[in-house]
Amino acid sequence: MQPIPYGKQQITEEDIQAVVQTLQSDFLTQGPKIEEFENKFAQYIGCVYAVAVANGTAALHLCAMALGVNEQSNVITTPITFVASANCVRYCGGTVWFADIDPATGLMDIDKVRDLLKSKPKGFFTGIIPVDFAGLPVHLEAFRQLADEYNLWILEDACHAPGGYFLDNQGQKQLCGNGKYADLAIFSFHPVKHIATGEGGMITTNNKELYDKLVLLRTHGITKKPELLPKDKGGWYYEMQELGYNYRIPDILTALGISQLNRADAGLQKRREIAARYDEVFGQDENIIILNPAAYSDDKSETGHAYHLYVILVKNRRGLYDYLRQHHIYAQVHYIPVHTMPYYQQLGWQQGDFPAAENYYEQCLSLPMYPTLSKEEQEFVIEKVLAFVNEQ
Ligand SMILES: *Cc1c(COP(=O)(O)O)cnc(C)c1O
């Protein structure tokens, strides 16, 4: 059997044709495919504005800039995320604070955030970066209420959850990144994510002022829009109005993104089916804890979880990881808690600061989860996991 990774992109003949057509067009970058991708993505997510950028990390950096993060800023995020969620604050000179996770969900614990907010004078903290970890959507309605009490912005890191949703207090579906509760949200199109463009990212928002800033900052802080410039300066005239970056994404990649987006719902459905099968088997094994077993409807389709990852917790995680590798199953660990990284330890954080995150990290393993994982491959993974955990 072929090696089985934890995540994998799918490239179809249509994807290839979409890229080839763009290669043969007039634009490799800064052409019409970027806006088309933005419009289609905004429609998919249900937000007003979308800004396509070079990658998810660039998206985070631009958001931190647009939100005005600076040396005085104190921003709260979760220790269980990819380091980029925290790093964007540091790019702008701000201070990162962490709030521990809820062990039942792996998500940042809102009660821990509230405790942290209460521990300092009002006005000390400036923003929160919640992460829809593994694809499980954060309950942003509750976070918005808390943020409003303390006058904070919310930047949702939705890299794991395009198409995911939570139910609000009225029972309405609220899609990740739809801009209803968070000021800004970001997505990544790295190959392990739901929609793959190689490198790529997207920012979504319903806020026109933030949108305008992001568009400016994405291209060096330069504008050519006549309404933002003095009159009669000549057709060549442009102005650099802020210090921005080149964080653009090329048309070639957005053409791939558009083609991938057409299959996003089918991919999500596949992920949920794979999760339902894992849940069914592992739910009956006393040696395995499933992080967030879904509450499915009868047809096993109704869950807001977007399943970027399928995470189980086991006692001998190191042993299981090594055993699966011997069988060419490349499970992964998500994540090493950010506050324990040497860089963040230099800033004063220590092992022991966030016990729930550290305890989670000791046991977690992300099993293969991607739309093209075959039934046979999944059964092979299940067989090996059960063989190991029940032999201990
Ligand atoms: C992938 C990812 C990022 C960064 O995205 P890139 O496109 O790789 O820069 C940020 N946050 C989370 C939670 C991610 O999973």
Side-chain angles (χ1 to χ4, degrees), residues 63-370:
C63 287
M65 288 178 78
L67 292 163
V69 176
N70 61 28
E71 284 76 7
Q72 275 77 53
S73 304
N74 291 288
V75 177
I76 303 169
T77 191
T78 167
I80 298 297
T81 185
F82 184 55
V83 291
S85 313
N87 292 350
C88 65
V89 176
R90 298 293 307 133
Y91 295 154
C92 299
T95 304
V96 180
W97 295 75
F98 299 97
D100 208 349
I101 61 165
D102 175 350
T105 62
L107 302 181
M108 186 159 70
D109 186 338
I110 193 164
D111 293 330
K112 293 281 159 51
V113 176
R114 190 177 286 110
D115 291 346
L116 185 56
L117 289 169
K118 277 188 189 153
S119 74
K120 300 278 177 190
K122 258 198 178 167
F124 179 83
F125 289 102
T126 40
I128 327 180
I129 306 178
V131 179
D132 301 312
F133 172 67
L136 184 73
V138 168
H139 201 292
L140 283 179
E141 189 179 21
F143 270 93
R144 183 78 261 172
Q145 266 177 6
L146 185 61
D148 286 348
E149 269 176 59
Y150 287 84
N151 198 21
L152 311 171
W153 48 255
I154 299 177
L155 164 53
E156 177 188 11
D157 184 337
C159 284
H160 295 184
Y165 62 84
F166 70 93
L167 297 179
D168 68 14
N169 291 342
Q170 264 84 57
Q172 298 290 311
K173 285 184 188 179
Q174 298 293 342
L175 282 164
C176 295
N178 74 0
K180 180 148 182 204
Y181 299 108
D183 299 277
L184 295 168
I186 69 110
F187 295 87
S188 162
F189 307 124
H190 183 278
V192 297
K193 310 287 163 71
H194 291 58
I195 296 164
T197 62
E199 297 284 351
M202 191 75 82
I203 305 166
T204 61
T205 184
N206 293 348
N207 182 318
K208 173 79 162 67
E209 203 179 318
L210 288 173
Y211 170 74
D212 288 339
K213 272 193 206 168
L214 292 165
V215 169
L216 198 66
L217 293 170
R218 172 177 60 179
T219 306
H220 309 281
I222 287 176
T223 187
K224 289 179 187 165
K225 286 186 186 160
E227 66 271 25
L228 300 176
L229 296 172
K231 284 199 175 46
D232 289 332
K233 288 282 199 178
W236 65 86
Y237 190 76
Y238 63 84
E239 279 183 359
M240 183 194 137
Q241 299 179 334
E242 300 217 27
L243 184 62
Y245 292 84
N246 177 356
Y247 276 168
R248 295 186 301 258
I249 185 171
D251 275 54
I252 304 167
L253 297 186
T254 50
L256 179 55
I258 293 163
S259 183
Q260 293 254 318
L261 186 56
N262 292 334
R263 290 201 308 284
D265 276 331
L268 197 54
Q269 182 59 27
K270 218 36 219 302
R271 286 174 186 271
R272 287 171 177 161
E273 285 167 17
I274 291 166
R277 176 65 185 146
Y278 278 143
D279 278 0
E280 181 177 60
V281 179
F282 297 144
Q284 294 169 21
D285 196 299
E286 56 184 357
N287 296 314
I288 298 173
I289 296 171
I290 301 165
L291 184 72
N292 294 308
Y296 293 100
S297 60
D298 290 344
D299 70 356
K300 296 207 186 302
S301 65
E302 192 55 44
T303 168
H305 199 315
Y307 288 110
H308 166 54
L309 303 173
Y310 187 90
V311 179
I312 58 169
L313 307 173
V314 292
K315 279 204 196 73
N316 184 0
R317 192 270 313 278
R318 177 66 187 267
L320 178 57
Y321 173 89
D322 289 340
Y323 177 81
L324 293 177
R325 280 183 84 87
Q326 283 165 19
H327 295 280
H328 306 291
I329 298 166
Y330 297 92
Q332 257 306 348
V333 170
H334 299 95
Y335 288 96
I336 305 166
V338 178
H339 70 282
T340 66
M341 290 291 164
Y343 174 80
Y344 283 96
Q345 293 211 28
Q346 282 163 34
L347 294 174
W349 301 102
Q350 296 173 23
Q351 194 80 37
D353 283 345
F354 302 102
E358 291 164 31
N359 185 48
Y360 161 84
Y361 166 62
E362 291 302 318
Q363 304 172 67
C364 67
L365 196 63
S366 307
L367 297 180
M369 168 54 82
Y370 48 90

